[in-house]
Amino acid sequence: MSTLFLTGSSSADWKGEVFSNEGDSGSIRGCSILKVEGSQTEYEATIDGVEADLGKFSDAIYKKITMDAKQQRYQGFRPGTIPPQLLPNYVSFAMDECAREATLEALAQNDIRPFESSRMDMKFEDISIPPVIKKKKKKKSGRKKNKSSCDTNDPSPITDVVEEPKWETFETMKEAIDAGWKPGQSFSFVAKSINGQKTKQQNVVGAKAIGAGGSYFDFNNVSVDSEN
């Protein structure tokens, strides 16, 4: 039988970080860890990007790496300018890095110590992104009807029921990015081929948030409101 570890959720006010340091649970929201049947060390993780607030984290990663890139000099471009052909690489990196960090935090919260190679070995699929909102073209107005000439036999106008756009799911991150995902938008995903060892329950209260000092990225001195 497979074992399912569900993270706790807190109704306390959340500050937007992927790993909450407040409350008794100190847990990341919207994630579940499933042990693969027949294995003692392999797991799968499902992350709900809206609950985990991955939109803000992916935006922070993107802004950090592009700020660093602007410090470099590129032949044929003015200082502080990133060649346009490089930007898709940074978008791809932001999504990938965000997913890996969120998965590792979910493991830590469930007292699973990942093996040394787990960070690079994990695979992602079922990437769900919000629908891309397209700007509507303004319709050309026709001739205005004479207000005095009303046709009482005309049926009353029918109001169309507009359904909320559904998220789209893709097999790979590349497909999701090609479909229009950008840093700052949330995304959900399934992480597989995660190998680690279940440890004794530990107190995760006070664990470092993603992007805090000691994490892969330290955003303490980065203003995420700065322009790209």
Side-chain angles (χ1 to χ4, degrees):
M1 295 292 291
S2 298
T3 305
L4 179 65
F5 302 98
L6 292 178
T7 65
S9 59
S10 173
S11 59
D13 185 31
W14 202 36
K15 303 301 182 183
E17 66 272 25
V18 178
F19 200 111
S20 174
N21 288 331
E22 297 184 6
D24 294 333
S25 64
S27 60
I28 177 176
R29 293 184 177 184
C31 78
S32 64
I33 303 292
L34 177 69
K35 181 183 286 186
V36 175
E37 186 174 358
S39 175
Q40 294 299 317
T41 60
E42 186 177 353
Y43 297 86
E44 294 180 4
T46 301
I47 307 293
D48 184 320
V50 174
E51 288 291 318
D53 206 3
L54 297 188
K56 288 183 180 179
F57 183 48
S58 64
D59 188 49
I61 293 176
Y62 183 76
K63 288 181 177 179
K64 174 64 169 65
I65 59 179
T66 51
M67 284 176 62
D68 292 343
K70 288 178 181 180
Q71 306 305 313
Q72 307 295 323
R73 287 185 174 272
Y74 302 95
Q75 188 174 2
F77 293 88
R78 294 180 179 179
T81 302
I82 303 174
Q85 65 269 23
L86 296 181
L87 293 177
N89 295 334
Y90 295 132
V91 172
S92 178
F93 180 86
M95 186 180 226
D96 183 86
E97 187 63 27
C98 181
R100 293 183 192 278
E101 285 290 319
T103 302
L104 291 177
E105 292 291 2
L107 291 175
Q109 163 177 308
N110 284 282
D111 305 314
I112 300 172
R113 181 184 295 115
F115 295 158
E116 187 174 350
S117 62
S118 290
R119 194 179 195 284
M120 297 306 299
D121 291 343
M122 63 179 69
K123 309 295 181 185
F124 303 108
E125 58 183 50
D126 295 337
I127 315 298
S128 298
I129 63 172
V132 178
I133 301 176
K134 298 180 179 179
K135 294 183 179 179
K136 295 182 179 179
K137 294 182 179 180
K138 293 183 178 180
K139 294 182 179 179
K140 294 182 180 180
S141 56
R143 289 184 178 181
K144 293 183 179 179
K145 293 183 178 180
N146 190 345
K147 292 182 180 179
S148 61
S149 59
C150 289
D151 187 353
T152 56
N153 294 325
D154 285 346
S156 58
I158 300 174
T159 305
D160 293 333
V161 178
V162 180
E163 294 184 0
E164 185 177 348
K166 296 181 179 179
W167 281 39
E168 297 181 85
T169 302
F170 302 89
E171 291 184 5
T172 66
M173 288 185 176
K174 184 180 185 305
E175 292 177 353
I177 293 172
D178 290 343
W181 181 87
K182 297 187 181 303
Q185 292 181 317
S186 186
F187 67 99
S188 301
F189 62 92
V190 176
K192 294 187 175 183
S193 300
I194 310 167
N195 289 289
Q197 185 66 48
K198 181 74 174 177
T199 61
K200 293 182 179 180
Q201 187 174 1
Q202 299 173 357
N203 184 7
V204 298
V205 175
K208 293 179 179 177
I210 292 182
S215 296
Y216 191 78
F217 280 101
D218 186 348
F219 299 129
N220 290 334
N221 297 318
V222 177
S223 174
V224 296
D225 294 327
S226 61
E227 295 182 358
N228 293 343

